[in-house]
Amino acid sequence: MAVTAAGSFAQAEASYGSVKTIQEEVATVELKVTPENTEAIVREYFSDIPVMIQVAKCESTFQHTLTDGSVLRGKVDSRDTGVMQINTGYHAKTAAELGLNLENIYDNMKYARTLYERQGTQPWNASASCWSRELASL
């Protein structure tokens, strides 16, 4: 969960609606990720994009790391990484160019936000039967 000491939020128009962006960030404290707090971290980070909370729930059941401390990998494709199941085969290079480490939960979510702002939920269409059903029940 990111705790911002000072910062302001503004609405930015993305191709799939408006999302919050940080205009100024003085200090951010990142909490140690545990299985017990991962869901809260995701819910806070994506509070402005509820569909992404549901995507994380369906993709990883709000897990970023396993009990042994290793980063969650996909069952069908082991390149799917972390809480947002970002596929490193497709996205590792771009993430690295952005200075993001997909094995870090905060960077994993930042990259997911970038994908969402450009492509909406399309990158997670494989799990749409789960997260679209979850949204319909809200």
Side-chain angles (χ1 to χ4, degrees), residues 3 6 20 28 35 40 50 63-64 75 80 82 85 112 121 127 135 137:
V3 180
K20 293 180 192 174
T28 300
Q63 288 184 296
H64 186 73
K75 292 178 183 170
D80 294 342
Q85 292 289 276
T121 56
S127 63
L135 285 176
S137 68

Side-chain angles (χ1 to χ4, degrees), residues 19 22 34 70 82 92 105 114:
V19 294
I22 298 175
T34 65
S70 63
I105 189 172
T114 300

Side-chain angles (χ1 to χ4, degrees), residues 1-9 22 24-29 44:
M1 163 175 337
V3 180
T4 304
S8 61
F9 291 89
I22 298 175
E24 175 187 353
E25 187 173 318
V26 175
T28 300
V29 178
E44 179 178 316

Side-chain angles (χ1 to χ4, degrees), residues 109-132:
M109 293 186 302
K110 285 176 192 173
Y111 193 81
R113 182 179 289 271
T114 300
L115 277 177
Y116 177 81
E117 289 170 354
R118 283 193 245 140
Q119 300 176 37
T121 56
Q122 187 278 328
W124 297 276
N125 275 350
S127 63
S129 63
C130 173
W131 51 259
S132 61

Side-chain angles (χ1 to χ4, degrees), residues 86-116:
I86 306 295
N87 188 290
T88 57
Y90 294 105
H91 302 288
K93 182 180 177 193
T94 304
E97 289 169 356
L98 294 171
L100 300 175
N101 173 1
L102 296 175
E103 292 194 0
N104 173 289
I105 189 172
Y106 297 98
D107 286 357
N108 193 278
M109 293 186 302
K110 285 176 192 173
Y111 193 81
R113 182 179 289 271
T114 300
L115 277 177
Y116 177 81

Side-chain angles (χ1 to χ4, degrees), residues 7-70:
S8 61
F9 291 89
Q11 292 294 321
E13 289 301 317
S15 58
Y16 293 89
S18 64
V19 294
K20 293 180 192 174
T21 58
I22 298 175
Q23 295 297 323
E24 175 187 353
E25 187 173 318
V26 175
T28 300
V29 178
E30 294 180 352
L31 297 178
K32 179 174 172 51
V33 179
T34 65
E36 295 78 30
N37 71 1
T38 302
E39 181 176 349
I41 290 169
V42 171
R43 286 184 180 282
E44 179 178 316
Y45 186 81
F46 288 115
S47 63
D48 59 325
I49 314 173
V51 68
M52 294 304 286
I53 296 168
Q54 296 307 316
V55 167
K57 180 180 180 183
C58 292
E59 288 283 342
S60 67
T61 60
F62 297 116
Q63 288 184 296
H64 186 73
T65 55
L66 303 175
T67 55
D68 67 1
S70 63

